[in-house]
């Protein structure tokens, strides 16, 4: 990789204080706007869910609505962490990496918080498909494994091979989730009678989710052909599709409380 964009070989360095990182973020309009725009969108989505869901009565419909709410609750916190510099570090890339020996900006907070947001996306999708808790739980466990190993890939500085090995592990876990969505839940949604909505959500989710490893590969964590701000906007745009658009589609369906997704007043009682 002969020439890297200036923002890949960034300035503050590994010893940078949180305040220096915060100031660095706001010195780059593209980077700062990729965070702040998502704080605003997550906030609007939370308000929209609360407003749209105010008359829900069925406990199972409410559970789906609460799952979508939690996606944006995690998101607004995640982007606040990134904006404040709390969950961003400069780390030195290992030998062989495109930016070897340089300290590059890593938005590790993204990988960390996906651990908490993606389970709620999968719970909502699994409930809409009418799946059982074993499959929903399996998808949740694998998304946690995928995000934590993705975080490990980004933070490993000892060896380039180990970075890519984490990436491979994370990708294998990802394929388990793709299989559950495309094979199990697609069939179940047909039986449940929710396949119209589910098919749209499935395409947005599977296509959108594939964008994340592609961006990781092309961004500074991987082969570094995209600079930090572009990579960040890439993730922010994917987040808009996989979180807020998916959420709004779900909410407009759920507020009608169709029989296909309702569980009746006794659903989930603990006694
Ligand atoms: C990483 C890198 C390692 C390989 C793979 C990845 C996949 C990430 C995905 C993230 C989805 C995030 C969403 C967030 C919404 O809040 C960790 C980038 C496979 C699929 C939907």
């Amino acid at each position: 990789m002969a020439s890297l964009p200036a923002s890949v070989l960034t300035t503050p360095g590994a010893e940078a204080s949180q305040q220096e990182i915060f100031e660095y973020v706001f010195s780059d309009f593209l980077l700062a706007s990729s965070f702040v725009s998502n704080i605003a969108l997550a906030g609007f989505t939370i308000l929209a869910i609360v407003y749209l869901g105010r008359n829900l009565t069925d406990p199972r419909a409410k559970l789906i609505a609460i799952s979508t709410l939690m996606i944006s609750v995690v998101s607004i916190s995640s982007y606040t962490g990134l904006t404040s510099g709390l969950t961003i570090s400069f780390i030195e890339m290992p030998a062989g990496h495109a930016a070897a020996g340089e300290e590059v900006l890593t938005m590790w907070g993204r990988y960390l918080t996906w651990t908490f947001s993606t389970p709620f996306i999968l719970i909502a999708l699994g409930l809409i498909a009418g799946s059982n808790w074993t499959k929903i739980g399996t998808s949740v466990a694998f998304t946690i494994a995928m995000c934590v190993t993705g975080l490990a890939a980004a933070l490993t500085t000892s060896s380039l091979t180990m970075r890519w090995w984490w990436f491979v592990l994370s990708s294998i876990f990802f394929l388990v989730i793709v299989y559950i969505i495309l094979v199990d839940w697609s069939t179940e949604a047909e039986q449940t009678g929710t396949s119209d909505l589910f098919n749209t959500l499935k395409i947005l989710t599977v296509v959108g989710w594939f964008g994340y490893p592609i961006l990781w590969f092309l961004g500074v964590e991987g082969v570094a052909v995209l600079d930090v701000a572009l990579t960040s906007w890439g993730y922010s745009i994917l987040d808009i599709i996989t979180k807020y658009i998916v959420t709004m589609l779900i909410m407009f369906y759920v507020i009608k409380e169709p029989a296909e997704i309702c569980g009746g007043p006794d659903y989930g009682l603990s006694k």
Side-chain angles (χ1 to χ4, degrees), residues 114 117-118 146 150 167 170-171 174 209 212-213 216 239 242-243:
W114 293 342
S117 60
T118 55
M146 174 188 81
F167 182 88
S170 178
S171 301
F174 175 49
W209 284 38
Y212 291 82
W216 198 101
D239 276 4
T242 61
K243 296 197 274 208

Side-chain angles (χ1 to χ4, degrees), residues 94-113:
H97 188 274
E102 303 292 335
E103 271 146 11
V104 304
L105 183 149
T106 298
M107 297 171 280
W108 56 267
R110 285 192 183 273
Y111 317 120
L112 177 72
T113 53

